[in-house]
Amino acid sequence: MKKAILYCMPLLFIGVVSCKDKPQSNIIIAHRPVVVKQQKPQAIGDAVRTSNISWVGSKYTVKVSVKCDTSLPLATDGSTKYYDNRVNISILRADGSSFFNRTFTKSDFKPYVDDNYYDDGALLGIVFDKVDGESLKFAVSVGNPDKTTDEFVPLELTVSHVGGASIEKANNEDEQ
């Protein structure tokens, strides 16, 4: 009988040890979520250009101010968003009085650009081009806001000697 107890003792020990509850862990392994940073829209404007000119027998100062406007709808190049611009043209007489002062946005040029450029593009800028008789000519660009591309619609803004403004598609002399 002692021999039977000696043989059963290891089996009993194994049985007791194997029935013991295993410790439970409260540790849950989970991967951190990947946080995608929302890229802040980029500014494409903020420039001031001043030109002193002689026009219709007098001296004038033409000031073109391009400002980024966060209140306008955003433009995009497909991957990056950009703030659109507001452009102010101010023409001052020699005595400092205002001859012409108007602010333009992309919506002023909607009839002259296709829907793709209007919906996703931006008013890239307006620059004084030349004195043309009794008119002042300005080059206007509406298009892709990415500065590394040259995708835009060239327009021409004309200010007459009586203060009126007109817009038309620019004649591209390279194509002729």
Side-chain angles (χ1 to χ4, degrees):
M1 176 107 150
K2 279 187 177 185
K3 274 188 170 184
I5 292 177
L6 282 174
Y7 289 119
C8 290
M9 206 54 146
L11 293 175
L12 183 62
F13 177 75
I14 292 173
V16 170
V17 172
S18 66
C19 291
K20 182 177 164 186
D21 285 338
K22 293 184 181 177
Q24 295 293 324
S25 173
N26 291 337
I27 299 173
I28 299 172
I29 298 174
H31 296 287
R32 286 186 177 181
V34 176
V35 178
V36 178
K37 286 187 176 183
Q38 291 293 337
Q39 190 175 18
K40 183 179 176 184
Q42 296 181 11
I44 54 175
D46 297 345
V48 178
R49 292 178 190 90
T50 303
S51 302
N52 294 314
I53 60 168
S54 293
W55 180 44
V56 289
S58 297
K59 301 281 184 195
Y60 289 86
T61 301
V62 178
K63 181 179 175 183
V64 180
S65 302
V66 181
K67 296 282 184 202
C68 165
D69 190 334
T70 59
S71 69
L72 294 172
L74 293 174
T76 183
D77 65 359
S79 60
T80 305
K81 298 214 180 277
Y82 298 84
Y83 292 118
D84 205 345
N85 295 318
R86 223 175 253 287
V87 181
N88 177 266
I89 297 176
S90 175
I91 302 172
L92 302 174
R93 295 181 183 95
D95 64 3
S97 64
S98 178
F99 169 73
F100 182 86
N101 188 18
R102 182 167 168 196
T103 300
F104 295 90
T105 62
K106 179 176 64 176
S107 62
D108 292 306
F109 305 100
K110 182 175 176 44
Y112 307 96
V113 298
D114 65 23
D115 290 341
N116 208 19
Y117 282 119
Y118 185 78
D119 294 339
D120 295 333
L123 174 55
L124 303 175
I126 299 176
V127 294
F128 174 69
D129 186 21
K130 64 184 176 182
V131 174
D132 187 21
E134 294 184 343
S135 300
L136 298 178
K137 302 286 185 173
F138 295 84
V140 179
S141 301
V142 176
N144 188 327
D146 183 359
K147 291 181 180 184
T148 63
T149 70
D150 60 354
E151 298 173 13
F152 65 91
V153 177
L155 303 171
E156 185 176 76
L157 171 69
T158 303
V159 175
S160 72
H161 71 287
V162 293
S166 63
I167 302 165
E168 61 186 29
K169 285 196 173 186
N171 292 330
N172 191 348
E173 295 173 5
D174 294 337
E175 292 178 1
Q176 296 177 355

